[in-house]
Amino acid sequence: MGFRKDFLWGGATAANQYEGGYLSDGKGLSTLDAITGGSHTKPRMITFKTKEGEIKSITRESPLPEGAVGYIDPNIYYPSHVATDFYNHYKEDIALFAQMGFKCFRLSTSWSRIVPNGMYDVNEKGLEFYDNVFDECLKYGIEPIVTINHFDIPMYLADHYDGWANREVIDFFVFFCETIFNRYKDKVKYWMTFNEINFLRSWTQIGIHSNDESVKAQSWLHMFVASAKVVQLGHKINENFKIGMMIAYIPTYALTCKPQDNLDNVLHMHDTYFFMDVQCKGKYPNYKLKEYERKGIKLDICENDLEEIAKGTVDYIGYSYYMSSVWTTDKDVEVTGGNQVNTYKNPYLEVSDWGWGIDALGLRYSLNEIYDRYGLPVFIVENGFGAVDKVEEDGSINDDYRIDYFRKHIQAMKDAVEIDGVDLIGYTPWGCIDIVSAGTGEMKKRYGFIYVDMDDQGNGSLKRSKKKSFNWYKKVIESNGEDLD
Ligand code: BGP
């Protein structure tokens, strides 16, 4: 039986990690243009100017002081400014994706490339860029899968509105979406609103100047309302649009069968299901309302907010899956790395060079958990293995470790479809071409089937070359997932 005949095999990228051209043709700054590089041990920093005019830097998760604005220091290297230059290489790259037989290609639109200050000033050159990209995809029969916003809010909205903490940003976002929906309604069918909405909690991602829980809760309400409005608007503009949500799904297992560990694990997973429950079921779950009550968090809910959320539920669930983790009540468990968060180490799992628990079965587990809870079509829009790839003397790159990771994860997906009956619509491995790491800003941490000559300091020819996994994945797609050897 295998995967559905129209299964959307492809690859995934994000504007701020891939495009470069950070000021090209009228693009405005996004918050991520002010984020330095880092490493597995050195955090990425935000460079900013205080309201007194002092130039400072702060770690990515820390709240910017009130009134501070993002600042680009001419003496600092920022990975997003060139990244791996999709802006000038899009024809070459899409041709390579077509060689692999991609049925789809996931990319994100840079809000500040299309609307430089994030409000209402549309940049025609920005719209043209994505017209050209979508035309190039469709030329090869590749379906664009568009993430409307992938971590990069326009810096102007962060600096002048405090980002999503400000209800006005709802209207700015709806305007941005109306602009791109109308412009690309005959080229793009699949959309998703916010990338990994459950990870959006800081200045870099949502433009807020506070770590306060009530500010984050209010910002998420605004984003839920915006997403719901956009889902309804999109269906009006083109009834064939499929508009999804996108979550970072890191399943945690109870470290022991101690009932307290099991209960705590279920309660911990509420932090992830909260975002899915609101966007898939159309209302705030009781466990969250009870939590807000306990914490004294009072949302400023306007009269139509909950009605919009109820009416604007999504068509499918997109999610990123890289790893799993464990949860326990006793806290002297070894900590290891993780996607945007540190996690507890599972003694039964190997970890990647960045400490991420490698768990192919966890992908089948997550598909069951999600599909059973919501019954909506599921789309794995990120999965992959960040590794240091070696270019041999003869130019070959033998990333057998990546092939091994994908082989096991695709088999797990297949079992979820064939044995468990999950309605899985597509699979877009993350970083199908080498791009900048979100967590560390590194190029060293490579995910691609295609190698790009670029290092962590911005040195390199940007030359593209095929890794061993390029032809392996081509074969997987050709066989619709049957041939994984
Ligand atoms: C997810 C993001 C992606 C990508 C991925 C890999 O959280 O949606 O943008 O970055 O993680 O993480 P990293 O790039 O830190 O290795």
Side-chain angles (χ1 to χ4, degrees):
M1 191 186 78
F3 295 103
R4 48 196 287 177
K5 289 285 159 280
D6 60 352
F7 192 72
L8 290 166
W9 294 99
T13 61
N16 73 86
Q17 296 171 253
Y18 184 26
E19 285 182 359
Y22 86 111
L23 286 180
S24 301
D25 299 321
K27 174 181 171 293
L29 287 173
S30 90
T31 49
L32 283 155
D33 291 326
I35 311 278
T36 67
S39 74
H40 191 30
T41 51
K42 187 164 72 71
R44 303 188 74 179
M45 305 296 279
I46 306 167
T47 49
F48 67 93
K49 201 181 272 186
T50 66
K51 60 181 177 213
E52 297 75 28
E54 250 188 298
I55 294 167
K56 293 190 159 189
S57 69
I58 199 169
T59 55
R60 192 165 61 119
E61 291 73 22
S62 313
L64 247 59
E66 203 257 326
V69 293
Y71 175 74
I72 307 294
D73 183 328
N75 306 310
I76 288 181
Y77 172 66
Y78 297 92
S80 77
H81 290 191
V82 175
T84 44
D85 198 28
F86 179 61
Y87 194 70
N88 296 301
H89 287 77
Y90 70 90
K91 287 190 188 234
E92 176 187 354
D93 292 354
I94 293 168
L96 285 167
F97 301 155
Q99 276 184 45
M100 276 192 274
F102 277 22
K103 310 293 182 204
C104 74
F105 169 50
R106 181 184 174 220
L107 69 158
S108 74
T109 45
S110 164
W111 186 350
S112 60
R113 188 178 296 286
I114 294 172
V115 190
N117 69 5
M119 295 166 72
Y120 300 115
D121 64 334
V122 174
N123 173 29
E124 175 54 28
K125 281 264 179 220
L127 286 172
E128 262 170 43
F129 169 65
Y130 293 104
D131 260 326
N132 296 337
V133 167
F134 298 147
D135 291 345
E136 206 63 25
C137 288
L138 296 172
K139 187 169 99 177
Y140 296 103
I142 295 174
E143 185 89 54
I145 311 289
V146 177
T147 312
I148 297 169
N149 187 239
H150 193 125
F151 293 157
D152 51 357
I153 186 170
M155 196 186 281
Y156 188 88
L157 297 184
D159 293 348
H160 299 272
Y161 285 84
D162 200 16
W164 281 99
N166 190 321
R167 177 174 287 273
E168 287 185 73
V169 175
I170 296 175
D171 293 341
F172 300 150
F173 184 74
V174 171
F175 171 79
F176 167 50
C177 293
E178 190 170 21
T179 303
I180 58 178
F181 284 166
N182 281 319
R183 178 75 171 228
Y184 308 124
K185 64 181 181 303
D186 302 321
K187 298 180 181 180
V188 178
K189 175 181 170 188
Y190 287 92
W191 306 83
M192 62 196 91
T193 49
F194 298 105
N195 182 71
E196 297 192 332
I197 188 168
N198 54 320
F199 277 173
L200 305 184
R201 56 177 90 103
S202 68
W203 182 84
T204 58
Q205 299 146 333
I206 55 177
I208 60 175
H209 290 69
S210 161
N211 259 353
D212 183 290
E213 285 221 39
S214 54
V215 172
K216 285 189 278 190
Q218 187 66 34
S219 302
W220 293 333
L221 168 67
H222 296 157
M223 293 170 76
F224 290 140
V225 172
S227 177
K229 284 181 164 214
V230 155
V231 168
Q232 297 171 80
L233 172 69
H235 290 154
K236 281 202 191 82
I237 291 172
N238 182 336
E239 61 184 14
N240 299 318
F241 276 3
K242 297 292 177 202
I243 306 172
M245 66 159 298
M246 199 285 196
I247 193 101
Y249 193 87
I250 303 177
T252 50
Y253 310 136
L255 181 61
T256 71
C257 51
K258 214 172 13 173
Q260 188 63 53
D261 269 2
N262 192 48
L263 173 63
D264 278 13
N265 188 44
V266 168
L267 301 179
H268 167 71
M269 280 305 292
H270 277 166
D271 289 345
T272 299
Y273 286 123
F274 161 54
F275 297 88
M276 303 170 87
D277 289 345
V278 174
Q279 293 190 280
C280 299
K281 297 182 177 177
K283 67 185 181 66
Y284 273 67
N286 286 347
Y287 58 79
K288 188 53 75 176
L289 298 175
K290 283 290 183 190
E291 179 196 329
Y292 283 174
E293 206 178 282
R294 284 194 301 275
K295 292 180 176 174
I297 292 173
K298 290 195 179 6
L299 292 177
D300 166 24
I301 300 178
C302 291
E303 76 272 20
N304 294 336
D305 285 353
L306 299 183
E307 189 191 333
E308 294 289 4
I309 288 171
K311 290 194 303 190
T313 54
V314 294
D315 303 319
Y316 69 90
I317 298 170
Y319 75 103
S320 61
Y321 176 87
Y322 291 92
M323 51 175 284
S324 66
S325 173
V326 295
W327 200 255
T328 175
T329 40
D330 52 15
K331 296 304 174 201
D332 59 359
V333 178
E334 187 187 346
V335 171
T336 185
N339 183 10
Q340 307 269 344
V341 288
N342 277 334
T343 59
Y344 292 127
K345 193 165 183 326
N346 182 328
Y348 296 95
L349 294 181
E350 301 293 318
V351 292
S352 75
D353 291 349
W354 276 263
W356 295 19
I358 300 165
D359 178 9
L361 270 186
L363 179 53
R364 179 177 172 190
Y365 168 83
S366 65
L367 282 164
N368 276 279
E369 287 291 290
I370 292 170
Y371 191 58
D372 291 354
R373 189 175 177 117
Y374 300 104
L376 286 172
V378 189
F379 198 153
I380 297 169
V381 295
E382 290 183 28
N383 174 241
F385 186 66
V388 179
D389 293 334
K390 182 171 182 289
V391 182
E392 305 296 344
E393 285 297 305
D394 64 1
S396 63
I397 298 146
N398 303 309
D399 57 339
D400 295 282
Y401 38 84
R402 184 167 293 112
I403 293 171
D404 183 53
Y405 177 96
F406 280 126
R407 177 180 295 119
K408 290 178 180 138
H409 284 76
I410 293 172
Q411 183 56 56
M413 272 177 3
K414 208 153 156 250
D415 292 344
V417 169
E418 287 186 327
I419 304 168
D420 313 321
V422 172
D423 179 8
L424 181 63
I425 58 177
Y427 178 63
T428 53
W430 176 254
C432 49
I433 181 170
D434 289 348
I435 55 181
V436 175
S437 157
T440 64
E442 294 171 303
M443 276 305 301
K444 186 175 113 183
K445 186 181 186 187
R446 297 174 182 277
Y447 283 89
F449 301 108
I450 300 160
Y451 185 92
V452 178
D453 176 30
M454 171 61 84
D455 70 13
D456 293 349
Q457 285 72 40
N459 308 307
S461 65
L462 288 166
K463 177 174 173 289
R464 273 79 168 134
S465 33
K466 299 173 184 177
K467 302 179 191 176
K468 186 173 180 182
S469 55
F470 183 99
N471 287 320
W472 175 83
Y473 190 48
K474 179 174 173 1
K475 210 165 38 74
V476 170
I477 298 175
E478 266 166 6
S479 65
N480 196 30
E482 291 306 313
D483 179 357
L484 302 182
D485 291 341

